[in-house]
Amino acid sequence: MVRCIRDRFDPHGHVDGEHGGGGGGLGFGLVHYSLVRLFRPKRALVIGSRFGFVPACVASAIKTNGHGHLDFVDANYSDKTHGFQKAFGGVGYWTTGNFGELSDVVTTHLQRSDEFFSKLSADDCYEFIYLDGAHDYDTVKQDFESSASRLADGGIILLHDPLVKNKDFGVSKFLETLPPSQWRWIVLPPWPGLAMVQKS
C-alpha cells in the first residue's frame, strides 16, 4: 500500500520533505490513515492537495473500513498561473478522475472552499476534516471556522504546515488564537508539522 500511494500520489517525492515521510514511509499520511481507521467516519473532508497524497491515504482507510465517503475540495490553483500567495504550492493538477480505484469513495469538488461550504445543507457534517488549502491567515481562519461549524461531535480537524514560519503562512498564528476553553490542540513534528484540533 505504501509504495502504491507514494508512486501514484507523490510523483515528485514531496512526502519526505512535506509530510515527514523520510525513509520511504507515509509519514503524516500514516497518521491520517490511522485516525480514519480509528474514527471510522461516515464522512471525511479534505481541502487542498498538490497531487492527492493525503486524500489517497484517507480514501484508502475509508475503503478498508468498508464504509464512509470523502469529499475532496481543491480550487486547482497553480503557483505559475495564480501566484504563490494564492496557490501556496498548487500545480493545477486536478480533474475529476484522478483517484482511480479509490474513486468510488471520493467525490472531487473543483472549487474554492468558500464555494463548497456555501452549498452544503444544514445537516451536512464531518467526523474527520483536513485543511491544506490556502495558507494565509484569513483563509485559514475562514476554512477552520467553516469546518468547525460542520464538525460532528467527537470529530477532529487537522491542519498542515503549523511549523512553517514563512510570512505568507498563517497556520501557526491562527492556532495561537484558539481559546483553550473551546479547543485543545497539539502539533506533531517534524517540520512542517501537523496540527490536530478537537473541541474541549
Side-chain angles (χ1 to χ4, degrees):
M1 179 186 84
V2 172
R3 181 178 296 174
C4 212
I5 288 176
R6 286 191 61 127
D7 287 351
R8 174 122 188 227
F9 299 101
D10 182 35
H12 302 296
H14 292 138
V15 168
D16 290 340
E18 297 179 8
H19 293 280
L26 291 179
F28 295 144
L30 185 57
V31 174
H32 295 294
Y33 181 88
S34 299
L35 287 172
V36 171
R37 292 284 283 132
L38 179 67
F39 278 74
R40 302 182 65 80
K42 293 177 183 175
R43 297 185 71 186
L45 172 63
V46 171
I47 295 178
S49 182
R50 185 178 288 128
F51 291 108
F53 171 70
V54 170
C57 292
V58 171
S60 294
I62 287 173
K63 197 149 190 168
T64 302
N65 285 346
H67 78 277
H69 197 82
L70 169 64
D71 282 317
F72 169 61
V73 180
D74 196 287
N76 213 27
Y77 292 149
S78 72
D79 287 349
K80 184 177 180 180
T81 302
H82 302 94
F84 179 79
Q85 285 76 19
K86 189 171 189 177
F88 287 93
V91 292
Y93 169 74
W94 290 103
T95 67
T96 55
N98 295 84
F99 287 101
E101 66 278 3
L102 298 172
S103 295
D104 58 329
V105 297
V106 181
T107 300
T108 300
H109 306 267
L110 297 180
Q111 58 190 163
R112 293 192 326 265
S113 56
D114 60 335
E115 295 170 335
F116 172 78
F117 283 117
S118 72
K119 293 176 182 176
L120 293 177
S121 73
D123 297 328
D124 286 323
C125 65
Y126 298 88
E127 295 88 358
F128 180 95
I129 300 173
Y130 173 67
L131 304 179
D132 193 22
H135 286 60
D136 62 282
Y137 177 86
D138 290 338
T139 306
V140 170
K141 182 176 187 291
Q142 178 180 320
D143 281 349
F144 185 90
E145 290 175 349
S146 297
S147 296
S149 71
R150 300 295 180 166
L151 189 64
D153 290 344
I156 188 168
I157 299 175
L158 299 101
L159 299 93
H160 193 227
D161 298 320
L163 298 178
V164 177
K165 300 305 181 185
N166 181 306
K167 65 180 178 61
D168 295 317
F169 280 62
V171 179
S172 63
K173 182 180 175 184
F174 171 74
L175 286 171
E176 295 294 339
T177 71
L178 291 178
S181 60
Q182 297 177 27
W183 298 97
R184 61 183 184 270
W185 54 275
I186 61 170
V187 173
L188 302 178
W191 188 93
L194 179 67
M196 303 169 61
V197 186
Q198 277 191 306
K199 289 183 178 178
S200 296

